[in-house]
Amino acid sequence: MFNDIGALELLTLGVLAVLVFGPDKLPKLIQDVTRTIRKIREFSDSAKEDIRSELGPQFKDFEFEDLNPKTFVRKQLMDGNDDLGLKEIRESFDLRKDLSDVTDAVNGRTPAAADTANSAANGSVGASAEGSAPSLTKTGDTAPDLLKKTPQQTQPERPPFDADAT
């Protein structure tokens, strides 16, 4: 709950508390707050124990944290290990290659020339020139060129606005 409070924020809260409540009342206030927090925790623990005892012995390993949907899914589907292969899927994404393909397409370079340029920049010559990457360049006249601007079509002239007509 308070994991994201830094030292500076804690110091600021302390100075504010001394200014607002004064050095005389502050120790009593801290005692009252800690006592209230302890009572709330005790009440919560006793309520959890009452619920567990009412559910019976078949729910003796029931954890209230499992009611959180994220925790429930992680526990039920993943069982603590990576059976679904999510790690391999994350590692299979090559964001740099995808971005270089997009920039090459925007700049109008061919993927083979860009791959040799990228591999030369990385220190390996011709490493991926024979790769099976799909071509992002225009190969035929069947598809419109999306990189070129199309001429604006003339729109029909609209009638003048008449404020009295509305």
Side-chain angles (χ1 to χ4, degrees):
M1 182 172 159
F2 296 110
N3 293 337
D4 58 346
I5 294 180
L8 186 61
E9 288 95 359
L10 199 57
L11 180 68
T12 305
L13 287 174
V15 169
L16 255 167
V18 169
L19 289 176
V20 171
F21 297 109
D24 299 334
K25 294 181 182 179
L26 193 59
K28 174 80 168 111
L29 180 71
I30 291 173
Q31 287 176 351
D32 291 343
V33 167
T34 55
R35 189 178 306 121
T36 305
I37 290 173
R38 280 191 198 121
K39 285 184 179 181
I40 290 172
R41 284 184 181 166
E42 288 173 5
F43 175 73
S44 172
D45 290 340
S46 68
K48 285 180 183 179
E49 288 302 318
D50 289 345
I51 290 173
R52 282 192 182 109
S53 66
E54 291 293 326
L55 287 175
Q58 62 269 24
F59 292 103
K60 65 180 177 180
D61 60 345
F62 175 74
E63 292 294 328
F64 287 95
E65 290 80 23
D66 292 342
L67 296 177
N68 183 355
K70 274 187 175 179
T71 308
F72 179 78
V73 168
R74 187 176 298 129
K75 185 176 179 181
Q76 299 300 322
L77 291 180
M78 304 282 286
D79 263 344
N81 57 12
D82 195 16
D83 288 340
L84 297 177
L86 294 177
K87 188 174 183 181
E88 291 85 16
I89 292 172
R90 283 189 200 115
E91 290 174 354
S92 69
F93 289 121
D94 188 9
L95 187 60
R96 289 184 187 210
K97 182 182 179 304
D98 293 340
L99 285 176
S100 68
D101 289 345
V102 170
T103 55
D104 292 341
V106 169
N107 293 332
R109 289 184 271 173
T110 60
D115 285 344
T116 57
N118 288 340
S119 62
N122 292 336
S124 61
V125 177
S128 61
E130 61 197 45
S132 62
S135 175
L136 297 176
T137 60
K138 184 177 177 182
T139 58
D141 292 332
T142 58
D145 190 3
L146 298 177
L147 297 176
K148 293 183 181 179
K149 290 187 177 181
T150 57
Q152 294 289 334
Q153 296 177 354
T154 58
Q155 296 182 356
E157 190 174 316
R158 293 174 34 177
F161 178 74
D162 186 8
D164 295 331
T166 56

